[in-house]
PDB file of all heavy atoms in Angstrom:
ATOM      1  N   SER A 904    -116.501  57.828 -34.139  1.00  0.00           N
ATOM      2  CA  SER A 904    -117.913  57.433 -34.596  1.00  0.00           C
ATOM      3  C   SER A 904    -118.768  58.539 -34.606  1.00  0.00           C
ATOM      4  O   SER A 904    -118.440  59.693 -34.049  1.00  0.00           O
ATOM      5  CB  SER A 904    -118.328  56.549 -33.420  1.00  0.00           C
ATOM      6  OG  SER A 904    -118.464  57.175 -32.210  1.00  0.00           O
ATOM      7  N   PRO A 905    -119.811  58.543 -35.450  1.00  0.00           N
ATOM      8  CA  PRO A 905    -120.691  59.723 -35.458  1.00  0.00           C
ATOM      9  C   PRO A 905    -121.255  60.143 -34.149  1.00  0.00           C
ATOM     10  O   PRO A 905    -121.445  59.313 -33.365  1.00  0.00           O
ATOM     11  CB  PRO A 905    -121.925  59.064 -36.324  1.00  0.00           C
ATOM     12  CG  PRO A 905    -121.344  57.979 -37.216  1.00  0.00           C
ATOM     13  CD  PRO A 905    -120.153  57.444 -36.206  1.00  0.00           C
ATOM     14  N   GLY A 906    -121.418  61.424 -33.867  1.00  0.00           N
ATOM     15  CA  GLY A 906    -121.749  61.882 -32.689  1.00  0.00           C
ATOM     16  C   GLY A 906    -120.637  62.337 -31.824  1.00  0.00           C
ATOM     17  O   GLY A 906    -120.875  63.123 -30.867  1.00  0.00           O
ATOM     18  N   THR A 907    -119.437  62.082 -32.170  1.00  0.00           N
ATOM     19  CA  THR A 907    -118.270  62.568 -31.514  1.00  0.00           C
ATOM     20  C   THR A 907    -117.873  63.888 -31.991  1.00  0.00           C
ATOM     21  O   THR A 907    -118.421  64.437 -33.122  1.00  0.00           O
ATOM     22  CB  THR A 907    -117.045  61.664 -31.552  1.00  0.00           C
ATOM     23  OG1 THR A 907    -116.718  61.587 -32.804  1.00  0.00           O
ATOM     24  CG2 THR A 907    -117.452  60.264 -31.029  1.00  0.00           C
ATOM     25  N   GLU A 908    -117.030  64.697 -31.403  1.00  0.00           N
ATOM     26  CA  GLU A 908    -116.485  66.042 -31.978  1.00  0.00           C
ATOM     27  C   GLU A 908    -115.862  65.836 -33.329  1.00  0.00           C
ATOM     28  O   GLU A 908    -116.176  66.602 -34.201  1.00  0.00           O
ATOM     29  CB  GLU A 908    -115.362  66.522 -31.076  1.00  0.00           C
ATOM     30  CG  GLU A 908    -114.689  67.827 -31.423  1.00  0.00           C
ATOM     31  CD  GLU A 908    -113.520  67.613 -32.477  1.00  0.00           C
ATOM     32  OE1 GLU A 908    -112.910  66.502 -32.482  1.00  0.00           O
ATOM     33  OE2 GLU A 908    -113.305  68.487 -33.294  1.00  0.00           O
ATOM     34  N   ALA A 909    -115.337  64.623 -33.545  1.00  0.00           N
ATOM     35  CA  ALA A 909    -114.703  64.421 -34.931  1.00  0.00           C
ATOM     36  C   ALA A 909    -115.770  64.284 -36.047  1.00  0.00           C
ATOM     37  O   ALA A 909    -115.460  64.458 -37.290  1.00  0.00           O
ATOM     38  CB  ALA A 909    -113.765  63.194 -34.949  1.00  0.00           C
ATOM     39  N   ALA A 910    -116.998  63.990 -35.712  1.00  0.00           N
ATOM     40  CA  ALA A 910    -118.032  63.727 -36.693  1.00  0.00           C
ATOM     41  C   ALA A 910    -118.581  65.012 -37.152  1.00  0.00           C
ATOM     42  O   ALA A 910    -119.312  65.231 -38.094  1.00  0.00           O
ATOM     43  CB  ALA A 910    -119.103  62.833 -36.112  1.00  0.00           C
ATOM     44  N   VAL A 911    -118.158  66.219 -36.413  1.00  0.00           N
ATOM     45  CA  VAL A 911    -118.847  67.578 -36.781  1.00  0.00           C
ATOM     46  C   VAL A 911    -117.849  68.097 -37.862  1.00  0.00           C
ATOM     47  O   VAL A 911    -116.658  67.986 -37.726  1.00  0.00           O
ATOM     48  CB  VAL A 911    -118.914  68.329 -35.559  1.00  0.00           C
ATOM     49  CG1 VAL A 911    -119.393  69.815 -35.867  1.00  0.00           C
ATOM     50  CG2 VAL A 911    -119.806  67.692 -34.614  1.00  0.00           C
ATOM     51  N   VAL A 912    -118.414  68.837 -38.769  1.00  0.00           N
ATOM     52  CA  VAL A 912    -117.527  69.566 -39.739  1.00  0.00           C
ATOM     53  C   VAL A 912    -116.721  70.487 -39.077  1.00  0.00           C
ATOM     54  O   VAL A 912    -117.194  71.404 -38.370  1.00  0.00           O
ATOM     55  CB  VAL A 912    -118.370  70.258 -40.799  1.00  0.00           C
ATOM     56  CG1 VAL A 912    -117.567  71.072 -41.810  1.00  0.00           C
ATOM     57  CG2 VAL A 912    -119.153  69.304 -41.547  1.00  0.00           C
ATOM     58  N   CYS A 913    -115.364  70.448 -39.253  1.00  0.00           N
ATOM     59  CA  CYS A 913    -114.452  71.246 -38.572  1.00  0.00           C
ATOM     60  C   CYS A 913    -114.473  72.819 -39.081  1.00  0.00           C
ATOM     61  O   CYS A 913    -114.276  72.810 -40.378  1.00  0.00           O
ATOM     62  CB  CYS A 913    -113.059  70.706 -38.742  1.00  0.00           C
ATOM     63  SG  CYS A 913    -111.757  71.686 -37.873  1.00  0.00           S
ATOM     64  N   PRO A 914    -114.723  73.705 -38.392  1.00  0.00           N
ATOM     65  CA  PRO A 914    -114.638  75.050 -38.980  1.00  0.00           C
ATOM     66  C   PRO A 914    -113.281  75.531 -39.435  1.00  0.00           C
ATOM     67  O   PRO A 914    -113.210  76.342 -40.310  1.00  0.00           O
ATOM     68  CB  PRO A 914    -115.039  75.945 -37.695  1.00  0.00           C
ATOM     69  CG  PRO A 914    -114.672  75.145 -36.521  1.00  0.00           C
ATOM     70  CD  PRO A 914    -114.864  73.759 -36.837  1.00  0.00           C
ATOM     71  N   CYS A 915    -112.352  74.922 -39.060  1.00  0.00           N
ATOM     72  CA  CYS A 915    -110.990  75.276 -39.611  1.00  0.00           C
ATOM     73  C   CYS A 915    -110.767  74.875 -41.157  1.00  0.00           C
ATOM     74  O   CYS A 915    -109.956  75.478 -41.752  1.00  0.00           O
ATOM     75  CB  CYS A 915    -109.807  74.392 -38.847  1.00  0.00           C
ATOM     76  SG  CYS A 915    -109.773  74.935 -37.108  1.00  0.00           S
ATOM     77  N   SER A 916    -111.756  74.059 -41.547  1.00  0.00           N
ATOM     78  CA  SER A 916    -111.616  73.758 -43.034  1.00  0.00           C
ATOM     79  C   SER A 916    -111.983  74.929 -43.977  1.00  0.00           C
ATOM     80  O   SER A 916    -111.719  74.953 -45.146  1.00  0.00           O
ATOM     81  CB  SER A 916    -112.499  72.562 -43.454  1.00  0.00           C
ATOM     82  OG  SER A 916    -113.902  73.083 -43.173  1.00  0.00           O
ATOM     83  N   ALA A 917    -112.649  76.046 -43.277  1.00  0.00           N
ATOM     84  CA  ALA A 917    -113.005  77.119 -44.116  1.00  0.00           C
ATOM     85  C   ALA A 917    -112.042  78.321 -43.903  1.00  0.00           C
ATOM     86  O   ALA A 917    -112.193  79.336 -44.497  1.00  0.00           O
ATOM     87  CB  ALA A 917    -114.389  77.657 -43.684  1.00  0.00           C
ATOM     88  N   LEU A 918    -110.943  78.127 -43.134  1.00  0.00           N
ATOM     89  CA  LEU A 918    -109.998  79.207 -42.930  1.00  0.00           C
ATOM     90  C   LEU A 918    -109.316  79.535 -44.205  1.00  0.00           C
ATOM     91  O   LEU A 918    -108.889  78.653 -45.046  1.00  0.00           O
ATOM     92  CB  LEU A 918    -109.025  78.838 -41.814  1.00  0.00           C
ATOM     93  CG  LEU A 918    -109.600  78.713 -40.461  1.00  0.00           C
ATOM     94  CD1 LEU A 918    -108.331  78.148 -39.526  1.00  0.00           C
ATOM     95  CD2 LEU A 918    -110.063  80.087 -39.914  1.00  0.00           C
ATOM     96  N   THR A 919    -109.167  80.756 -44.458  1.00  0.00           N
ATOM     97  CA  THR A 919    -108.238  81.258 -45.678  1.00  0.00           C
ATOM     98  C   THR A 919    -106.766  81.111 -45.257  1.00  0.00           C
ATOM     99  O   THR A 919    -106.384  80.963 -44.116  1.00  0.00           O
ATOM    100  CB  THR A 919    -108.603  82.714 -45.980  1.00  0.00           C
ATOM    101  OG1 THR A 919    -108.171  83.611 -44.947  1.00  0.00           O
ATOM    102  CG2 THR A 919    -110.149  82.802 -46.226  1.00  0.00           C
ATOM    103  N   GLU A 920    -105.884  81.118 -46.313  1.00  0.00           N
ATOM    104  CA  GLU A 920    -104.447  81.144 -46.049  1.00  0.00           C
ATOM    105  C   GLU A 920    -104.048  82.289 -45.193  1.00  0.00           C
ATOM    106  O   GLU A 920    -103.109  82.116 -44.410  1.00  0.00           O
ATOM    107  CB  GLU A 920    -103.707  81.177 -47.407  1.00  0.00           C
ATOM    108  CG  GLU A 920    -103.930  79.938 -48.248  1.00  0.00           C
ATOM    109  CD  GLU A 920    -103.313  78.719 -47.476  1.00  0.00           C
ATOM    110  OE1 GLU A 920    -102.205  78.863 -46.881  1.00  0.00           O
ATOM    111  OE2 GLU A 920    -103.871  77.623 -47.536  1.00  0.00           O
ATOM    112  N   ALA A 921    -104.629  83.495 -45.376  1.00  0.00           N
ATOM    113  CA  ALA A 921    -104.229  84.652 -44.587  1.00  0.00           C
ATOM    114  C   ALA A 921    -104.747  84.420 -43.144  1.00  0.00           C
ATOM    115  O   ALA A 921    -103.977  84.726 -42.211  1.00  0.00           O
ATOM    116  CB  ALA A 921    -104.980  85.870 -45.091  1.00  0.00           C
ATOM    117  N   GLU A 922    -105.913  83.822 -42.844  1.00  0.00           N
ATOM    118  CA  GLU A 922    -106.327  83.505 -41.537  1.00  0.00           C
ATOM    119  C   GLU A 922    -105.332  82.527 -40.909  1.00  0.00           C
ATOM    120  O   GLU A 922    -104.970  82.645 -39.582  1.00  0.00           O
ATOM    121  CB  GLU A 922    -107.668  83.091 -41.506  1.00  0.00           C
ATOM    122  CG  GLU A 922    -108.775  84.200 -41.841  1.00  0.00           C
ATOM    123  CD  GLU A 922    -110.118  83.656 -42.084  1.00  0.00           C
ATOM    124  OE1 GLU A 922    -110.279  82.550 -42.629  1.00  0.00           O
ATOM    125  OE2 GLU A 922    -111.030  84.363 -41.697  1.00  0.00           O
TER     126      GLU A 922
END
Side-chain angles (χ1 to χ4, degrees):
S904 58
T907 65
E908 176 275 331
V911 179
V912 175
C913 177
C915 296
S916 63
L918 292 175
T919 65
E920 289 297 322
E922 289 171 327

